Amino acid sequence: MKVTFVRLPDHEWGHVLIERDDHVVYRMGGGPITAAIPHDLVHFTVEDALRIEDGIWGAIAGGVVFQSMKHVSGRRPPHAAERSAQLIRANRDRLQRAELIGGFVEAAAHAKDSELTTLHQQWFATRPDSPDIPSIELAVSALRRAEADWRALPIGGELTVHWPATRRLPPTPTPRRSDANRGRRARR
């Protein structure tokens, strides 16, 4: 999946262009642009560094279309909206975990390296599935590089990154109409 972040003038509303592997293109709205790295690029960088398949970007690669995404071009698969809603429902906890990890790595990238263990204990006190410290250190380094790349990007410049096709949410099975109808007939 090809993802393009556009560096607009500060305080303009940003967006990301996403071309999935099925050639469907979406424009995802972001927040106001500043010299700070965009939130969606934080998530891309962190999820890529940690090889997270079931985060925000793995979800998009797997067919999720978030409310902030608008269709630009390409033929959407049949029942895309229903499948997207099913994927979100089935993976809500994993998506929230990815948000937590992205926020944590962003905070850790701006903290002193000596504070990493304490921060990790605070953020993940109730989560047994937290990434380990060496993995976090790799993600922090990747995020710091991405921040430097973003700051160096001129106004009007683009930063294009690629999400691997193998890192995506697996599809959820959709109930066939005949299966649903059978259940209704049996209840009558």
Side-chain angles (χ1 to χ4, degrees), residues 2 13 19 21 23 34 37-38 43 70 85-86 89-90 100 106 119 131 137 140 157-158 160-161 170-171 174 180 183:
K2 182 172 126 179
W13 206 256
E19 182 179 346
D21 293 340
H23 305 291
T34 66
I37 187 169
H43 275 287
K70 302 295 177 223
Q86 286 177 333
R89 275 191 307 276
L100 177 69
E106 187 172 24
L119 274 174
E137 289 171 336
V140 164
E158 296 180 349
T160 299
V161 290
T174 53

Side-chain angles (χ1 to χ4, degrees), residues 115-153:
E115 298 172 340
L116 185 58
T117 301
T118 304
L119 274 174
H120 187 271
Q121 291 168 348
Q122 290 170 347
W123 280 64
F124 297 107
T126 61
R127 298 247 9 169
D129 58 348
S130 65
D132 60 23
I133 297 292
S135 297
I136 293 294
E137 289 171 336
L138 288 173
V140 164
S141 294
L143 185 56
R144 288 176 178 162
R145 283 190 307 275
E147 286 176 330
D149 290 346
W150 180 256
R151 280 193 301 276
L153 200 61

Side-chain angles (χ1 to χ4, degrees), residues 36-59:
I37 187 169
H39 178 74
D40 295 318
L41 183 53
V42 168
H43 275 287
F44 187 97
T45 304
V46 171
E47 292 175 24
D48 188 44
L50 295 175
R51 301 197 177 296
I52 295 174
E53 296 178 359
D54 54 5
I56 308 306
W57 291 98

Side-chain angles (χ1 to χ4, degrees), residues 45-96:
T45 304
V46 171
E47 292 175 24
D48 188 44
L50 295 175
R51 301 197 177 296
I52 295 174
E53 296 178 359
D54 54 5
I56 308 306
W57 291 98
I60 293 170
V64 166
V65 178
F66 293 107
Q67 287 182 351
S68 62
M69 296 169 63
K70 302 295 177 223
H71 179 252
V72 174
S73 65
R75 187 172 186 279
R76 291 176 279 194
H79 311 290
E82 293 89 353
R83 290 176 198 269
S84 174
Q86 286 177 333
L87 281 169
I88 290 171
R89 275 191 307 276
N91 295 284
R92 188 170 311 281
D93 186 54
R94 293 178 184 128
L95 294 169
Q96 289 172 344

